[in-house]
Amino acid sequence: MDLNQWVDELFEVFDEDKDGVISRTEFVELIDVLLQDKGIRMCETIFNRFDKNHSNSISKDELKDMVIELAL
């Protein structure tokens, strides 16, 4: 599976309200799954780091940057 396909699948699962962005609540769930026992406390720092436009949501491009940096 390539990166774009993986990001699309993550969006499909975690963008629960299908508004095209990952909200803070959806992000916490995403990070909990990706990081497992490392804990939710890291979410705030990670969210702020990748919410580059400070929209209080994560776009696909921002999620792609996060996946590249944290998961690959």
Side-chain angles (χ1 to χ4, degrees):
M1 177 182 310
D2 75 357
L3 176 61
N4 289 325
Q5 186 178 8
W6 191 25
V7 169
D8 286 343
E9 288 187 20
L10 287 171
F11 245 84
E12 181 66 29
V13 172
F14 291 99
D15 180 17
E16 294 174 357
D17 59 6
K18 306 302 180 211
D19 64 352
V21 295
I22 302 292
S23 69
R24 187 172 295 272
T25 303
E26 293 164 340
F27 183 79
V28 169
E29 293 176 30
L30 171 66
I31 292 301
D32 187 38
V33 169
L34 288 179
L35 298 181
Q36 298 170 6
D37 1 332
K38 291 186 181 180
I40 298 296
R41 288 192 320 220
M42 294 175 65
C43 286
E44 190 69 30
T45 300
I46 293 168
F47 188 95
N48 291 335
R49 180 176 176 182
F50 290 99
D51 179 19
K52 294 180 180 176
N53 64 357
H54 308 290
S55 65
N56 210 29
S57 60
I58 299 293
S59 68
K60 269 192 183 182
D61 287 336
E62 290 166 334
L63 179 60
K64 188 176 191 178
D65 291 343
M66 185 187 76
V67 169
I68 289 170
E69 190 166 327
L70 297 178
L72 296 180

